[in-house]
Amino acid sequence: MMDFNKLMMLVTDATVQTLVMVFLSILFSVVLGLPLGVLLCITDPETGICPRPVLNQVLTRIVNILRSFPFIILMILLFPLSRILIGTSIGTAATIVPLSIAAAPFVARVIESALKEVDPGVVQAARAMGSTLMQIIVKVLLPEALPSLVDGITLTIINLIGYSAMAGAIGGGGLGDLAIRYGYQRFRTEVMIAAVVVILVMVEVAQLIGTKISNKMMAKR
């Protein structure tokens, strides 16, 4: 049995690494996925406010291809990019690159779905008042879709927590790395249990906070 203080130190360090990975990854994935999701919505040939069938089809194919890649394979394929941007392909910082790219198409679909739920009558009213395309996006679509966007981002965060744990299998750092290297490979069951418990707690906290924020936004309408 591992010393309790040492176990807590290992779990604490791994938790901080996972939180850093998830926070930065969700930030970068939203930066990448937000414009992509908006474009998918407004260029939709049937419901978009600026239909562009060819552009929409190209973007749809790109998103679908990226979403179809299993994360472990995508991470391996992105090792060269991680080396270029970070200088290494292993560790917490290097894992942020594939995590962000893996989550970006998911975020794009979440944003597209949320924007499509906005009442078309509100958009038509804004157009009738002479609003430009950018004004409709910034002042109508995004604010009206905020509760759904929060729910979608919450789901993305939960997925990223799972992805970050899988990244530990190939040197990604964090709780997944702790569970595999210190738990599984060294037959330390208590380490694996501690890592799994912390991951479950992180998922529950993320879901609780996301739901609370979304409900508050809905109540203010």
Side-chain angles (χ1 to χ4, degrees):
M1 180 73 71
M2 182 179 290
D3 177 74
F4 180 76
N5 290 331
K6 184 179 180 181
L7 175 61
M8 289 304 297
M9 184 175 66
L10 288 171
V11 172
T12 300
D13 290 344
T15 302
V16 171
Q17 291 175 1
T18 297
L19 289 173
V20 169
M21 282 192 288
V22 172
F23 175 77
L24 292 178
S25 297
I26 193 64
L27 181 64
F28 292 136
S29 64
V30 169
V31 170
L32 294 171
L34 177 60
L36 188 55
V38 171
L39 280 173
L40 283 169
C41 175
I42 66 174
T43 61
D44 188 288
E46 296 181 4
T47 61
I49 58 177
C50 184
R52 295 289 187 278
V54 175
L55 176 59
N56 187 268
Q57 282 299 310
V58 171
L59 294 176
T60 297
R61 294 293 176 269
I62 293 172
V63 169
N64 289 343
I65 289 171
L66 289 174
R67 288 184 66 189
S68 67
F69 270 98
F71 175 67
I72 294 293
I73 297 175
L74 181 62
M75 187 172 179
I76 293 171
L77 290 174
L78 291 173
F79 274 168
L81 181 60
S82 295
R83 289 194 193 99
I84 293 171
L85 296 177
I86 309 296
T88 180
S89 59
I90 61 173
T92 303
T95 306
I96 293 171
V97 175
L99 279 176
S100 302
I101 293 175
F106 185 82
V107 170
R109 283 301 187 194
V110 163
I111 291 171
E112 179 193 14
S113 298
L115 295 180
K116 284 184 175 180
E117 291 176 4
V118 176
D119 185 357
V122 178
V123 177
Q124 290 174 3
R127 297 183 77 169
M129 294 173 65
S131 298
T132 63
L133 178 62
M134 187 57 66
Q135 288 174 331
I136 292 174
I137 294 170
V138 175
K139 296 183 179 181
V140 179
L141 288 176
L142 291 175
E144 287 291 320
L146 265 181
S148 296
L149 288 175
V150 170
D151 287 335
I153 297 301
T154 301
L155 184 59
T156 306
I157 291 173
I158 292 171
N159 285 337
L160 280 173
I161 293 173
Y163 284 167
S164 70
M166 284 190 286
I170 47 179
L175 290 165
D177 182 56
L178 176 68
I180 292 169
R181 256 191 325 129
Y182 285 89
Y184 177 73
Q185 294 179 353
R186 300 186 186 184
F187 303 102
R188 300 278 190 177
T189 306
E190 68 275 13
V191 177
M192 288 190 66
I193 293 174
V196 170
V197 168
V198 174
I199 290 172
L200 292 174
V201 170
M202 289 173 65
V203 169
E204 287 297 322
V205 171
Q207 184 65 68
L208 182 65
I209 293 174
T211 301
K212 196 167 185 178
I213 293 173
S214 178
N215 289 340
K216 280 188 176 181
M217 288 179 172
M218 289 294 292
K220 288 181 180 180
R221 288 188 166 184

